[in-house]
Amino acid sequence: MRIGIPRALLYYNYYPLWHSFFEELGHQVVTSSVTSKAVLDSGVMSCVDDACLPIKLFHGHVVNLIGKVDAIFIPRLVSICPEEYICPKFIGLPEMIKSSIKGLPDLIVLNYNAHRNLKDVHRAYVELGTRIGAKPSQAVKALQKATASQQAYDLLLKEGQTPLDMLNGRKRIGEGEGKGIIGLIGHPYLLYDEFISMGLISKLRARGYAVLVPENIAQPQIEMACAELPKKLFWSYGKKLLGSGLTMLKGRKVDGIIFLSSFGCGIDAFIVELLQRYNHRLYQIPSALITVDEHSGQAGFNTRLEAFIDMIEWRDGREGYISAHGASVFGH
Ligand code: SF4
């Protein structure tokens, strides 16, 4: 069977696992095309208006797979970690797709819910495998191999690779470094989709900056940074963004930090605010917030980015200048 995987949402986190699982069970995996204006437009046309940009884009990638595959894989993620949740938009995703898009092939829905126990996730994969024709023992074996592929991928990310490079098959070794490091905070489906992020990573590298992304920060560091907050964060991806941002700021690992956010994202609304407040109070590292939606254009985006880089470089070069206003004038 040809199984389509939409190149959107958590594709950037779990593609090695999903790809390996289905191929081990003898199926052919077909990924939707890279995002283009046509893919985004078809998502916008088929999705409800008030969904966020990444959900609209997911619809576009599903439409892109129609006619190319026998079934489309749609994960329903409720929780990826015990006692935590992820954005509710992931819970209703299969129903949104079914009600909004006509002419769909079969949907293969994975019910992924680790809220009580991680073993429930294991059971969900085995159940999914049997639903598409495998024996339970075959599904268990396929899951073991797929888990090994995913672990190898995650390890390379912790060593400094980005999902963008890994999924495009180009492992990077120290390129783009020299002028400094820019921390990027954003959901993977924004940062690593080159159309949506308007080539943010490539543009920074072209200006001589290396990037540090949330996937490069180890989970214990994220937990440690978030443990200092007055309340426990129960949104897993919100915690990841805030914890990795705080780790970058606290260790002064970056020369500047850019938040890439989607218009209408509830989680980003408070994560970005918290991170900016901590930064202003404690670290004062140059920062910029860039919010994207389906109307964002290259010109405005490039201007923001150029201004931010110029600001970092001017500040670096002229930090020692003393203002004419203050102690140097009035002397004491
Ligand atoms: S976390 Fe934000 S950007 Fe991601 S799906 Fe939810 S609302 Fe959309």
Side-chain angles (χ1 to χ4, degrees):
M1 176 162 58
R2 288 169 306 160
I3 299 179
I5 297 186
R7 196 187 291 260
L9 293 179
L10 298 179
Y11 156 86
Y12 298 94
N13 297 58
Y14 296 116
Y15 182 69
L17 186 125
W18 295 339
H19 176 268
S20 167
F21 182 69
F22 290 128
E23 296 245 315
E24 282 298 324
L25 292 178
H27 301 290
Q28 184 194 344
V29 169
V30 178
T31 314
S32 57
S33 314
V34 292
T35 303
S36 61
K37 185 164 183 324
V39 171
L40 176 58
D41 285 350
S42 65
V44 171
M45 300 283 285
S46 51
C47 185
V48 292
D49 284 345
D50 50 1
C52 61
L53 175 66
I55 295 289
K56 288 178 180 166
L57 186 60
F58 188 89
H59 282 62
H61 281 277
V62 170
V63 172
N64 181 265
L65 286 166
I66 295 175
K68 298 179 188 168
V69 295
D70 305 306
I72 300 178
F73 174 61
I74 312 278
R76 181 204 308 284
L77 282 97
V78 179
S79 162
I80 57 164
C81 187
E83 296 182 18
E84 292 180 4
Y85 283 103
I86 64 169
C87 170
K89 298 221 170 84
F90 289 89
I91 303 175
L93 194 58
E95 282 68 34
M96 282 184 90
I97 295 293
K98 277 185 218 162
S99 73
S100 312
I101 301 177
K102 304 273 173 285
L104 287 169
D106 285 345
L107 296 188
I108 299 174
V109 176
L110 167 73
N111 291 308
Y112 188 118
N113 187 352
H115 189 254
R116 289 201 184 143
N117 198 322
L118 277 172
K119 283 188 189 146
D120 290 345
V121 174
H122 184 274
R123 274 195 284 274
Y125 273 103
V126 175
E127 189 265 329
L128 179 78
T130 55
R131 241 190 296 141
I132 55 174
K135 292 183 185 146
S137 59
Q138 290 171 320
V140 168
K141 213 167 146 204
L143 183 58
Q144 281 165 351
K145 288 208 172 162
T147 305
S149 306
Q150 183 68 34
Q151 284 169 345
Y153 175 76
D154 291 341
L155 185 65
L156 286 165
L157 297 180
K158 292 293 167 284
E159 287 172 359
Q161 301 294 323
T162 71
L164 176 71
D165 298 318
M166 295 299 301
L167 294 171
N168 287 334
R170 43 172 207 233
K171 203 168 152 191
R172 296 185 74 89
I173 309 160
E175 293 158 73
E177 292 168 7
K179 287 196 176 169
I181 302 176
I182 303 294
L184 298 179
I185 297 296
H187 296 283
Y189 36 88
L190 296 175
L191 283 182
Y192 312 121
D193 185 311
E194 287 194 287
F195 184 85
I196 297 301
S197 72
M198 302 195 202
L200 175 61
I201 293 180
S202 315
K203 283 174 182 164
L204 287 168
R205 286 175 174 158
R207 289 283 307 243
Y209 290 89
V211 296
L212 191 62
V213 295
E215 284 69 24
N216 300 146
I217 308 294
Q219 192 61 27
Q221 286 181 290
I222 292 174
E223 299 288 346
M224 216 189 314
C226 290
E228 291 175 21
L229 300 170
K231 280 189 177 174
K232 181 174 164 22
L233 281 175
F234 54 87
W235 300 111
S236 298
Y237 285 113
K239 186 168 87 174
K240 180 172 179 172
L241 298 190
L242 184 58
S244 52
L246 288 173
T247 306
M248 290 177 196
L249 295 171
K250 200 172 175 186
R252 299 207 167 267
K253 293 174 189 286
V254 293
D255 301 283
I257 194 159
I258 297 176
F259 314 101
L260 186 67
S261 174
S262 161
F263 177 76
C265 172
I267 290 180
D268 284 2
F270 71 89
I271 292 299
V272 171
E273 181 66 23
L274 277 172
L275 206 45
Q276 280 182 325
R277 285 187 189 198
Y278 273 94
N279 188 26
H280 292 158
R281 271 189 221 146
L282 302 173
Y283 310 111
Q284 286 101 37
I285 288 177
S287 67
L289 164 64
I290 302 181
T291 305
V292 287
D293 68 9
E294 54 271 39
H295 308 295
S296 297
Q298 285 276 355
F301 185 94
N302 289 348
T303 308
R304 297 285 315 280
L305 191 59
E306 294 284 322
F308 179 65
I309 299 286
D310 288 347
M311 189 259 293
I312 292 180
E313 293 178 0
W314 289 340
R315 182 175 136 144
D316 255 8
R318 296 170 192 174
E319 184 132 86
Y321 284 19
I322 296 173
S323 163
H325 175 81
S328 58
V329 174
F330 298 107
H332 42 76

mmCIF file of all heavy atoms in Angstrom, residues 304-321:
data_model
loop_
_atom_site.group_PDB
_atom_site.id
_atom_site.type_symbol
_atom_site.label_atom_id
_atom_site.label_comp_id
_atom_site.label_asym_id
_atom_site.label_seq_id
_atom_site.Cartn_x
_atom_site.Cartn_y
_atom_site.Cartn_z
ATOM 1 N N ARG A 304 12.667 43.023 8.440
ATOM 2 C CA ARG A 304 12.772 42.774 9.888
ATOM 3 C C ARG A 304 14.087 42.067 10.214
ATOM 4 O O ARG A 304 14.774 42.402 11.176
ATOM 5 C CB ARG A 304 11.612 41.873 10.367
ATOM 6 C CG ARG A 304 10.236 42.462 10.207
ATOM 7 C CD ARG A 304 9.922 43.526 11.240
ATOM 8 N NE ARG A 304 10.301 43.188 12.594
ATOM 9 C CZ ARG A 304 9.602 42.406 13.411
ATOM 10 N NH1 ARG A 304 8.469 41.891 13.003
ATOM 11 N NH2 ARG A 304 10.017 42.172 14.632
ATOM 12 N N LEU A 305 14.407 41.081 9.385
ATOM 13 C CA LEU A 305 15.611 40.283 9.648
ATOM 14 C C LEU A 305 16.881 41.125 9.487
ATOM 15 O O LEU A 305 17.783 41.095 10.340
ATOM 16 C CB LEU A 305 15.622 39.086 8.691
ATOM 17 C CG LEU A 305 16.652 38.007 8.968
ATOM 18 C CD1 LEU A 305 16.460 37.421 10.362
ATOM 19 C CD2 LEU A 305 16.548 36.894 7.931
ATOM 20 N N GLU A 306 16.916 41.890 8.395
ATOM 21 C CA GLU A 306 18.089 42.744 8.137
ATOM 22 C C GLU A 306 18.268 43.743 9.285
ATOM 23 O O GLU A 306 19.376 43.971 9.771
ATOM 24 C CB GLU A 306 17.895 43.541 6.837
ATOM 25 C CG GLU A 306 17.856 42.703 5.567
ATOM 26 C CD GLU A 306 19.227 42.223 5.146
ATOM 27 O OE1 GLU A 306 20.178 42.997 5.288
ATOM 28 O OE2 GLU A 306 19.342 41.066 4.703
ATOM 29 N N ALA A 307 17.153 44.341 9.714
ATOM 30 C CA ALA A 307 17.233 45.342 10.781
ATOM 31 C C ALA A 307 17.763 44.705 12.064
ATOM 32 O O ALA A 307 18.561 45.299 12.788
ATOM 33 C CB ALA A 307 15.857 45.959 11.015
ATOM 34 N N PHE A 308 17.318 43.494 12.324
ATOM 35 C CA PHE A 308 17.738 42.807 13.546
ATOM 36 C C PHE A 308 19.250 42.510 13.511
ATOM 37 O O PHE A 308 19.973 42.770 14.470
ATOM 38 C CB PHE A 308 16.929 41.510 13.697
ATOM 39 C CG PHE A 308 17.300 40.705 14.903
ATOM 40 C CD1 PHE A 308 17.083 41.208 16.183
ATOM 41 C CD2 PHE A 308 17.875 39.446 14.780
ATOM 42 C CE1 PHE A 308 17.434 40.472 17.315
ATOM 43 C CE2 PHE A 308 18.223 38.706 15.894
ATOM 44 C CZ PHE A 308 18.004 39.219 17.167
ATOM 45 N N ILE A 309 19.709 42.006 12.380
ATOM 46 C CA ILE A 309 21.144 41.681 12.255
ATOM 47 C C ILE A 309 21.977 42.972 12.352
ATOM 48 O O ILE A 309 22.994 43.018 13.043
ATOM 49 C CB ILE A 309 21.435 40.986 10.896
ATOM 50 C CG1 ILE A 309 20.655 39.689 10.787
ATOM 51 C CG2 ILE A 309 22.932 40.749 10.700
ATOM 52 C CD1 ILE A 309 21.149 38.557 11.611
ATOM 53 N N ASP A 310 21.520 44.018 11.666
ATOM 54 C CA ASP A 310 22.242 45.295 11.726
ATOM 55 C C ASP A 310 22.321 45.786 13.165
ATOM 56 O O ASP A 310 23.361 46.259 13.622
ATOM 57 C CB ASP A 310 21.551 46.357 10.862
ATOM 58 C CG ASP A 310 21.729 46.087 9.374
ATOM 59 O OD1 ASP A 310 22.583 45.247 9.039
ATOM 60 O OD2 ASP A 310 21.004 46.693 8.560
ATOM 61 N N MET A 311 21.207 45.644 13.882
ATOM 62 C CA MET A 311 21.170 46.110 15.268
ATOM 63 C C MET A 311 22.188 45.339 16.121
ATOM 64 O O MET A 311 22.925 45.937 16.916
ATOM 65 C CB MET A 311 19.743 45.903 15.797
ATOM 66 C CG MET A 311 19.458 46.522 17.128
ATOM 67 S SD MET A 311 19.522 45.310 18.425
ATOM 68 C CE MET A 311 18.128 44.274 18.041
ATOM 69 N N ILE A 312 22.291 44.042 15.926
ATOM 70 C CA ILE A 312 23.259 43.247 16.700
ATOM 71 C C ILE A 312 24.683 43.709 16.360
ATOM 72 O O ILE A 312 25.525 43.899 17.234
ATOM 73 C CB ILE A 312 23.128 41.742 16.365
ATOM 74 C CG1 ILE A 312 21.803 41.206 16.884
ATOM 75 C CG2 ILE A 312 24.285 40.932 16.947
ATOM 76 C CD1 ILE A 312 21.600 39.738 16.597
ATOM 77 N N GLU A 313 24.934 43.910 15.067
ATOM 78 C CA GLU A 313 26.301 44.255 14.656
ATOM 79 C C GLU A 313 26.680 45.665 15.098
ATOM 80 O O GLU A 313 27.795 45.896 15.552
ATOM 81 C CB GLU A 313 26.456 44.029 13.146
ATOM 82 C CG GLU A 313 26.352 42.534 12.843
ATOM 83 C CD GLU A 313 26.446 42.160 11.370
ATOM 84 O OE1 GLU A 313 26.594 43.066 10.528
ATOM 85 O OE2 GLU A 313 26.367 40.956 11.070
ATOM 86 N N TRP A 314 25.755 46.617 15.001
ATOM 87 C CA TRP A 314 26.051 47.984 15.445
ATOM 88 C C TRP A 314 26.275 48.002 16.952
ATOM 89 O O TRP A 314 27.151 48.673 17.467
ATOM 90 C CB TRP A 314 24.898 48.930 15.090
ATOM 91 C CG TRP A 314 24.783 49.199 13.613
ATOM 92 C CD1 TRP A 314 25.761 49.029 12.684
ATOM 93 C CD2 TRP A 314 23.635 49.665 12.912
ATOM 94 N NE1 TRP A 314 25.290 49.352 11.441
ATOM 95 C CE2 TRP A 314 23.989 49.755 11.545
ATOM 96 C CE3 TRP A 314 22.353 50.014 13.291
ATOM 97 C CZ2 TRP A 314 23.102 50.179 10.561
ATOM 98 C CZ3 TRP A 314 21.466 50.437 12.321
ATOM 99 C CH2 TRP A 314 21.844 50.520 10.972
ATOM 100 N N ARG A 315 25.428 47.232 17.667
ATOM 101 C CA ARG A 315 25.555 47.204 19.124
ATOM 102 C C ARG A 315 26.914 46.619 19.519
ATOM 103 O O ARG A 315 27.578 47.122 20.418
ATOM 104 C CB ARG A 315 24.419 46.349 19.698
ATOM 105 C CG ARG A 315 24.424 46.280 21.198
ATOM 106 C CD ARG A 315 23.194 45.529 21.669
ATOM 107 N NE ARG A 315 23.573 44.596 22.703
ATOM 108 C CZ ARG A 315 22.810 44.319 23.745
ATOM 109 N NH1 ARG A 315 21.652 44.876 23.901
ATOM 110 N NH2 ARG A 315 23.211 43.460 24.638
ATOM 111 N N ASP A 316 27.316 45.579 18.817
ATOM 112 C CA ASP A 316 28.622 44.961 19.085
ATOM 113 C C ASP A 316 29.763 45.947 18.871
ATOM 114 O O ASP A 316 30.673 46.074 19.667
ATOM 115 C CB ASP A 316 28.827 43.798 18.101
ATOM 116 C CG ASP A 316 28.646 42.479 18.785
ATOM 117 O OD1 ASP A 316 28.213 42.490 19.946
ATOM 118 O OD2 ASP A 316 28.937 41.451 18.144
ATOM 119 N N GLY A 317 29.669 46.668 17.744
ATOM 120 C CA GLY A 317 30.750 47.575 17.372
ATOM 121 C C GLY A 317 30.788 48.833 18.215
ATOM 122 O O GLY A 317 31.846 49.438 18.397
ATOM 123 N N ARG A 318 29.648 49.275 18.726
ATOM 124 C CA ARG A 318 29.597 50.579 19.394
ATOM 125 C C ARG A 318 29.160 50.510 20.840
ATOM 126 O O ARG A 318 28.786 51.502 21.419
ATOM 127 C CB ARG A 318 28.636 51.496 18.621
ATOM 128 C CG ARG A 318 29.185 51.731 17.242
ATOM 129 C CD ARG A 318 28.214 52.423 16.340
ATOM 130 N NE ARG A 318 28.741 52.332 14.976
ATOM 131 C CZ ARG A 318 28.106 52.734 13.912
ATOM 132 N NH1 ARG A 318 26.916 53.245 14.016
ATOM 133 N NH2 ARG A 318 28.648 52.607 12.707
ATOM 134 N N GLU A 319 29.196 49.323 21.425
ATOM 135 C CA GLU A 319 28.700 49.172 22.788
ATOM 136 C C GLU A 319 29.458 50.059 23.771
ATOM 137 O O GLU A 319 28.921 50.533 24.758
ATOM 138 C CB GLU A 319 28.795 47.707 23.229
ATOM 139 C CG GLU A 319 28.214 47.502 24.597
ATOM 140 C CD GLU A 319 27.262 46.314 24.626
ATOM 141 O OE1 GLU A 319 27.784 45.223 24.821
ATOM 142 O OE2 GLU A 319 26.063 46.492 24.446
ATOM 143 N N GLY A 320 30.750 50.329 23.477
ATOM 144 C CA GLY A 320 31.563 51.101 24.412
ATOM 145 C C GLY A 320 31.280 52.600 24.360
ATOM 146 O O GLY A 320 31.768 53.350 25.192
ATOM 147 N N TYR A 321 30.502 53.045 23.347
ATOM 148 C CA TYR A 321 30.212 54.476 23.269
ATOM 149 C C TYR A 321 29.426 54.920 24.492
ATOM 150 O O TYR A 321 28.488 54.262 24.919
ATOM 151 C CB TYR A 321 29.374 54.785 22.013
ATOM 152 C CG TYR A 321 30.147 54.771 20.727
ATOM 153 C CD1 TYR A 321 31.385 54.140 20.632
ATOM 154 C CD2 TYR A 321 29.635 55.386 19.593
ATOM 155 C CE1 TYR A 321 32.082 54.119 19.441
ATOM 156 C CE2 TYR A 321 30.325 55.370 18.395
ATOM 157 C CZ TYR A 321 31.550 54.724 18.326
ATOM 158 O OH TYR A 321 32.224 54.696 17.146
#
